[in-house]
Amino acid sequence: MQWKEVSSFGDHVLFSGKSTTACCSAAELGFNRGCLYYTLPEDQSLYKFELEGTGTVTLPCLKLPTPCFSSDWIMMPTTFRVGEQERSELMLNRREERDFITSIGVRLNNKCENQGEVNQQGPWSILQDDTLLKTASYLHPIDYKQFRLVCKAIRSNLPIFKQTPTSGTILSNRYVSPWLVFSVNNECTVYNFVDPMHNNENYFMERPLLKGAIIRFQKDGWLLMSEGAHRLFFHNPFTKETINIPDLPQHYHFSNISFFSLPTCSDCVVYGIQVDEEDEGIRVYIIARGEKSWRDHMFDNIDTDGYYMPSLNTPVLYKGILYSVDYNGLVGTLSSEDNINWSYQVVNKPRGIFDGAYPSFLVECGGDLLLVKLGRMGVFKGIFRLNFSKKEWVRVKSLGKHMLFISYTSCVSRIAPRADMENKIYFSRLSLHGEGILLYSLDTGNYHSLGNQRSSKDFYDTKGWASWSWIEPNWSRSTSEELDWFANLS
């Protein structure tokens, strides 16, 4: 007759309110096991505590007036009463469903027939094992997880985790948009992943090894991160895999840093660009997979069009040439034919719309090199396409069916999977009114949020940091050799 502390709920999830409590199966509901959901008196927030994790809080009822009634829990009944007319219609529907299933059941294999009368099973049970597995093989891991939650029969035949290739190829889906990834601060070990395609679905991942690290660049699901003054490493948050690379020769203060092949591939190269104020030049640091130290190249920074000032954004590898843009609209190019001798030059003249105070963002879209220009407080200045023959920027009025995802660490373009996502630019910022991802619509000429109906002309009432990034989900696992920077992959 005494209280004992527990360290696990098993398969259960608990709900606690002011006047109601409930205990349910986590597997049946599709929740993470070992969680306690609770509410507090005179509070609009929903709280969650994980025995094996941390606590989180959400605000699901922002539009309710205050003070409000205390939140509580209600369990939906599994049975219901109907009148005579509704009962007749219900029995008719059940007979039609039973007849339909019975007609299909004649064609089922012996294994399915031996499990009992087909008309006693649910509609999903008519799927044969080979059909079920083949259907699941085409699903993206996100959809695969939802597919397993349909019924017990499917869960019993499909493993919890979908098997992914181990050859380093990307497991992608053109109908999946990039996710916004961020942590509250550099010391936080919990990372948020927000999916703009599915109503701002928010996933939380605990990554203790990333404490104190900062996201610098993203490509195909791999993050390039820095820790301290010298350390750089790759990390895939979906597979928890890390690739360490040689330390930097000096303190990290690059204007931008990037890579354009998977770090698990033999042709992966990391580029870092910075302004060398002492020598009044541009210094480029380069390291290729397998190399034990960084190489640096110094280039003059005096051009006929003015002084080049690289901005804090991502460069773009376009047709084998590395492009980066500065605050004045000048574009610098870095190229090499043998990966040993490098050349650096400025290719275009600045335009009057550019100034030295606010950044621009480069992104490749539909075979063009585009630039998204913002002004003070994020006021949208326009999209420009680089005309290579005239070496100037040309204003773009529409993205057509494309959508852009813009951040300081990753700029991505995609063909919109839905009509409502076309001709929009998604930024690595959240609205303070509903926590929805901030987007700019070229159709309306305003900023909007996925979480509410508000619109604005600038970044007012939004939040975001330079280390917040867009990431393309990648669940492909790598071999031990691919995770070793110095391993010979040939």
Side-chain angles (χ1 to χ4, degrees):
M1 297 295 295
Q2 64 181 2
W3 293 106
K4 288 188 177 181
E5 185 176 0
V6 298
S7 59
S8 173
F9 291 159
D11 177 52
H12 296 93
V13 56
L14 306 185
F15 302 86
S16 176
K18 180 180 179 181
S19 57
T20 58
T21 58
C23 177
C24 305
S25 168
E28 290 290 338
L29 297 178
F31 287 126
N32 292 332
R33 55 191 295 173
C35 293
L36 166 65
Y37 294 86
Y38 63 97
T39 60
L40 296 176
E42 305 299 331
D43 193 342
Q44 295 172 279
S45 300
L46 170 64
Y47 300 88
K48 180 179 75 171
F49 178 78
E50 302 177 69
L51 279 180
E52 302 176 0
T54 59
T56 58
V57 58
T58 58
L59 299 173
C61 307
L62 290 176
K63 295 184 178 181
L64 288 181
T66 55
C68 64
F69 294 105
S70 300
S71 301
D72 224 318
W73 300 98
I74 183 171
M75 179 69 75
M76 300 302 296
T78 57
T79 59
F80 56 93
R81 297 180 180 178
V82 295
E84 290 299 324
Q85 181 177 357
E86 291 83 357
R87 189 188 303 275
S88 300
E89 293 178 354
L90 180 62
M91 294 179 64
L92 179 61
N93 291 337
R94 287 180 175 175
R95 282 198 300 268
E96 292 176 349
E97 179 181 346
R98 184 169 61 250
D99 294 340
F100 170 72
I101 297 176
T102 303
S103 64
I104 297 180
V106 176
R107 299 190 295 271
L108 295 180
N109 58 16
N110 294 332
K111 178 181 178 180
C112 185
E113 292 176 349
N114 294 335
Q115 292 177 351
E117 294 296 328
V118 177
N119 58 10
Q120 296 179 356
Q121 302 178 17
W124 283 101
S125 63
I126 65 176
L127 290 177
Q128 301 180 32
D129 290 348
D130 56 346
T131 304
L132 188 68
L133 294 174
K134 189 172 183 61
T135 301
S137 68
Y138 286 99
L139 297 178
H140 193 274
I142 305 174
D143 302 320
Y144 178 87
K145 180 179 179 181
Q146 302 295 333
F147 188 46
R148 288 193 73 253
L149 299 178
V150 170
C151 65
K152 290 183 178 179
I154 292 182
R155 285 196 296 275
S156 64
N157 285 279
L158 295 180
I160 297 178
F161 298 103
K162 181 179 180 180
Q163 298 297 319
T164 57
T166 59
S167 60
T169 56
I170 306 172
L171 186 63
S172 60
N173 188 319
R174 69 188 185 97
Y175 296 109
V176 177
S177 68
W179 293 2
L180 179 62
V181 54
F182 64 93
S183 62
V184 178
N185 55 62
N186 296 339
E187 297 301 318
C188 182
T189 61
V190 177
Y191 278 75
N192 296 261
F193 293 80
V194 185
D195 183 0
M197 184 175 170
H198 294 93
N199 300 320
N200 279 316
E201 284 186 354
N202 196 352
Y203 303 88
F204 298 93
M205 296 185 185
E206 181 80 16
R207 296 293 182 265
L209 294 178
L210 301 184
K211 183 177 181 180
I214 301 174
I215 299 175
R216 301 296 183 178
F217 191 77
Q218 184 278 153
K219 176 67 176 177
D220 294 333
W222 281 90
L223 300 173
L224 179 59
M225 311 191 70
S226 69
E227 182 181 15
H230 301 277
R231 186 188 178 210
L232 281 177
F233 64 95
F234 295 99
H235 181 76
N236 184 336
F238 299 96
T239 61
K240 300 182 181 180
E241 296 172 330
T242 298
I243 300 177
N244 293 305
I245 65 176
D247 289 347
L248 293 166
Q250 61 176 18
H251 282 59
Y252 183 98
H253 56 275
F254 294 130
S255 298
N256 49 58
I257 192 167
S258 57
F259 66 96
F260 301 99
S261 294
L262 286 174
T264 55
C265 297
S266 58
D267 60 346
C268 179
V269 180
V270 182
Y271 307 88
I273 301 176
Q274 72 175 50
V275 176
D276 194 317
E277 297 180 356
E278 182 178 348
D279 296 330
E280 295 185 348
I282 297 293
R283 189 176 295 274
V284 179
Y285 288 87
I286 299 173
I287 188 170
R289 183 181 170 97
E291 294 182 341
K292 297 182 178 180
S293 60
W294 292 75
R295 293 169 282 149
D296 67 282
H297 302 267
M298 186 70 177
F299 304 97
D300 293 335
N301 195 20
I302 303 299
D303 187 82
T304 57
D305 292 322
Y307 190 77
Y308 182 79
M309 300 183 300
S311 57
L312 298 174
N313 54 29
T314 61
V316 173
L317 187 65
Y318 182 78
K319 296 183 179 181
I321 300 177
L322 187 66
Y323 289 83
S324 59
V325 66
D326 79 345
Y327 289 94
N328 292 319
L330 291 170
V331 173
T333 64
L334 178 67
S335 59
S336 174
E337 296 182 356
D338 54 11
N339 201 25
I340 298 177
N341 300 305
W342 295 81
S343 62
Y344 193 88
Q345 61 179 334
V346 175
V347 299
N348 74 300
K349 300 178 181 180
R351 290 173 55 95
I353 193 172
F354 299 96
D355 53 57
Y358 309 106
S360 306
F361 300 90
L362 278 179
V363 57
E364 183 181 359
C365 178
D368 292 323
L369 192 60
L370 302 183
L371 182 141
V372 178
K373 179 61 183 175
L374 303 179
R376 182 177 180 272
M377 284 291 295
V379 173
F380 189 76
K381 295 295 186 180
I383 302 177
F384 302 88
R385 174 181 57 84
L386 182 59
N387 185 319
F388 289 90
S389 61
K390 296 182 179 180
K391 297 183 178 180
E392 65 178 13
W393 294 108
V394 179
R395 184 178 290 273
V396 175
K397 296 182 179 180
S398 174
L399 294 172
K401 294 184 177 296
H402 286 85
M403 54 183 180
L404 304 181
F405 298 85
I406 301 299
S407 72
Y408 285 96
T409 55
S410 178
C411 293
V412 183
S413 69
R414 286 287 183 272
I415 295 178
R418 303 194 309 258
D420 62 319
M421 300 182 74
E422 295 177 357
N423 205 29
K424 292 180 174 61
I425 306 173
Y426 294 81
F427 289 88
S428 57
R429 302 186 68 86
L430 297 178
S431 169
L432 297 180
H433 301 275
E435 301 301 319
I437 291 177
L438 186 72
L439 63 91
Y440 182 87
S441 171
L442 275 76
D443 294 325
T444 65
N446 287 317
Y447 285 102
H448 304 273
S449 171
L450 293 178
N452 55 68
Q453 301 298 320
R454 294 169 60 93
S455 63
S456 64
K457 293 291 185 180
D458 52 32
F459 282 173
Y460 181 72
D461 274 353
T462 67
K463 63 180 178 180
W465 301 99
S467 60
W468 291 21
S469 180
W470 292 105
I471 186 170
E472 302 155 279
N474 179 357
W475 279 269
S476 300
R477 293 191 174 275
S478 307
T479 64
S480 57
E481 290 78 13
E482 290 172 334
L483 297 176
D484 183 359
W485 180 260
F486 303 106
N488 186 359
L489 301 179
S490 58

